[in-house]
């Protein structure tokens, strides 16, 4: 297997995993991807890093989703709490689904449903963490990615769309392939998916560090904040967690103030959304670049906090029979 930086090879142990059934592939029901991912999460010692296009985790006693990825995360946090050990999960997700529509319009049913399912799952996880008596931020960091550029004195921003399907545990094990964290990919009765489970520290750590470094604005030449480089090297520590969240929060506030971006946790309802769209001397996602050079110069990398509470006062999901 070739390392992300290229030039060298490393020996790893690999296993091919599959999700499918007679309906999708003409074979028996196969859900080994979900089993491997749940095992990776629950057996991890220090941290799990997940970068996926869709995260719609399911829980016991919750009939919204049937997979058990959310439950696996909750079980791992409960174990960390019992043992008094530090453990953390990083999720990197798209800020918006890659679907036609406008999140500011009620008519964009498919887009709003996809976004609503993910937000509901994340909010359920946060609520479950609160129920067991922990502060969610101590165990969970959810990030999105956003970038900006300027031309002809006009600055524009857009999300960096996450299409990856990657999970890394403790820089020892990795899962890479085509499966998202949702029922469609994991239960074997929706999409047919293939992943590779990889055991090998050199490959796993190099892959995870390369992704994190890019998101935090760390260059291969050593550029970027030194504290962030240390955080990316050891993401399980509380200091690393706080530093990563600090930078993501700063980036989030800059993008919100300068560009009036959506989605944002400042918008909890349709009424809030209308007011947000009309607020300030801004036109959509473009501004006068010269006027905001100082603010935008403080953006480090592309990481922003994922707006879990966006439209929290509204039901974005379709009726249960039509959601998937």
């Amino acid at each position: 297997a070739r390392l992300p930086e290229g030039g060298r090879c490393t020996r790893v142990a690999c296993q091919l995993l599959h999700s499918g059934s007679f309906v999708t592939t003409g074979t028996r029901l196969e859900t080994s991807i979900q089993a491997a991912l749940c095992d990776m999460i629950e057996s991890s010692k220090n941290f799990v890093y997940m970068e996926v296009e869709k995260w719609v985790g399911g829980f016991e006693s919750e009939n919204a989703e049937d997979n058990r990825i959310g439950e696996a995360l909750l079980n791992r946090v409960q174990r960390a709490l019992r043992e008094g050990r530090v453990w953390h999960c990083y999720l990197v997700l798209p800020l918006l689904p890659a679907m036609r529509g406008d999140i500011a319009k009620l008519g964009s049913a498919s887009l709003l449903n996809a976004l609503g399912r993910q937000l509901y799952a994340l909010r359920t996880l946060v609520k479950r963490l609160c129920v067991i008596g922990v502060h969610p931020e101590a165990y969970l960091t959810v990030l999105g990615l956003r970038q900006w550029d300027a031309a002809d004195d006009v600055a524009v921003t857009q999300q960096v769309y996450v299409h990856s399907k990657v999970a890394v545990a403790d820089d020892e094990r990795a899962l890479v392939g085509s499966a998202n964290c949702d029922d469609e990919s994991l239960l074997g009765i929706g999409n047919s998916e293939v992943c590779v489970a990889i055991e090998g520290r050199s490959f796993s750590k190099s892959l995870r560090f390369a992704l994190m470094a890019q998101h935090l604005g760390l260059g291969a030449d050593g550029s970027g904040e030194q504290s962030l480089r240390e955080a990316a090297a050891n993401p399980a520590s509380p200091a690393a967690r706080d530093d990563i969240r600090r930078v993501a929060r700063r980036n989030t506030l800059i993008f919100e103030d300068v560009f009036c971006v959506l989605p944002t946790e400042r918008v909890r309802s349709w009424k809030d959304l209308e007011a947000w769209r009309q607020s300030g001397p801004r036109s959509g996602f473009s501004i006068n670049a010269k006027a905001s050079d100082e603010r935008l110069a403080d953006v480090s990398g592309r990481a922003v906090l994922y707006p879990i509470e966006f439209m929290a006062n509204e039901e974005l999901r379709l009726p249960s029979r039509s959601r998937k």
Side-chain angles (χ1 to χ4, degrees):
R2 187 166 298 281
L3 295 172
E5 65 263 26
R8 293 183 293 122
C9 290
T10 182
R11 187 176 296 276
V12 298
C14 298
Q15 182 178 358
L16 195 64
L17 305 171
H18 178 227
S19 181
S21 67
F22 183 81
V23 174
T24 57
T25 61
T27 61
R28 65 180 177 82
L29 181 66
E30 178 64 59
T31 60
S32 58
I33 296 175
Q34 176 175 226
L37 186 53
C38 286
D39 177 70
M40 176 183 285
I41 293 168
E42 296 198 38
S43 65
S44 62
K45 298 176 181 178
N46 301 305
F47 74 92
V48 167
Y49 176 89
M50 301 174 68
E51 190 166 313
V52 291
E53 185 181 14
K54 300 174 184 177
W55 194 93
V56 191
F59 301 84
E60 295 287 349
S61 72
E62 268 286 333
N63 60 10
E65 307 293 334
D66 294 322
N67 72 79
R68 288 296 171 260
I69 301 303
E71 192 71 20
L73 282 173
L74 186 63
N75 290 341
R76 185 58 188 89
V77 172
Q78 288 177 312
R79 189 183 118 204
L81 189 61
R82 289 194 306 270
E83 297 174 351
R85 300 283 297 274
V86 172
W87 185 86
H88 204 77
C89 174
Y90 294 92
L91 295 179
V92 182
L93 310 171
L95 291 167
L96 289 171
M99 304 177 73
R100 291 183 179 274
D102 185 340
I103 57 173
K105 295 181 180 179
L106 279 167
S108 304
S110 295
L111 185 152
L112 294 174
N113 176 62
L115 179 61
R117 284 178 64 197
Q118 182 158 285
L119 289 169
Y120 181 85
L122 291 169
R123 288 199 285 263
T124 300
L125 176 57
V126 168
K127 289 176 183 176
R128 293 292 184 90
L129 292 175
C130 291
V131 166
I132 65 174
V134 302
H135 197 294
E137 290 187 2
Y139 296 94
L140 177 68
T141 295
V142 189
L143 303 172
L145 302 176
R146 183 171 287 281
Q147 63 186 356
W148 72 276
D149 202 353
D152 299 325
D153 293 332
V154 175
V156 295
T157 183
Q158 63 180 12
Q159 73 162 324
V160 177
Y161 191 74
V162 178
H163 199 265
S164 316
K165 286 86 175 176
V166 175
V168 178
D170 301 325
D171 285 346
E172 299 283 353
R173 303 164 64 190
L175 188 68
V176 182
S178 66
N180 280 303
C181 291
D182 60 5
D183 286 1
E184 290 84 342
S185 285
L186 298 176
L187 299 184
I189 56 176
N191 302 328
S192 176
E193 310 287 4
V194 174
C195 287
V196 179
I198 303 167
E199 290 191 5
R201 181 168 181 79
S202 182
F203 176 86
S204 300
K205 183 173 183 177
S206 181
L207 172 64
R208 195 271 311 158
F209 182 85
L211 291 169
M212 254 187 164
Q214 183 182 64
H215 303 336
L216 296 173
L218 305 176
D221 59 356
S223 59
E225 292 186 34
Q226 182 58 33
S227 63
L228 286 179
R229 189 168 293 279
E230 294 170 0
N234 181 25
S237 73
R241 172 200 70 204
D242 293 344
D243 224 23
I244 291 169
R245 293 186 68 89
R246 171 185 61 82
V247 171
R249 183 177 293 107
R250 183 180 67 197
N251 289 348
T252 301
L253 293 175
I254 293 172
F255 281 120
E256 289 179 345
D257 291 345
V258 172
F259 293 105
C260 198
V261 295
L262 287 171
T264 169
E265 289 199 338
R266 300 188 197 186
V267 171
R268 306 291 180 97
S269 66
W270 291 112
K271 183 178 179 181
D272 291 345
L273 194 150
E274 182 62 26
W276 181 250
R277 274 288 178 92
Q278 295 180 1
S279 65
R282 292 159 286 195
S283 175
F285 297 112
S286 19
I287 58 159
N288 183 293
K290 290 183 178 179
S292 297
D293 276 350
E294 287 188 17
R295 296 296 311 279
L296 294 172
D298 288 334
V299 171
S300 297
R302 299 169 176 175
V304 295
L305 294 178
Y306 188 91
I308 294 176
E309 295 301 319
F310 174 65
M311 298 295 282
N313 298 336
E314 305 288 350
E315 176 58 87
L316 302 182
R317 298 173 300 163
L318 291 169
S320 56
R321 292 183 180 179
S322 307
R323 284 175 187 165
K324 298 177 185 178

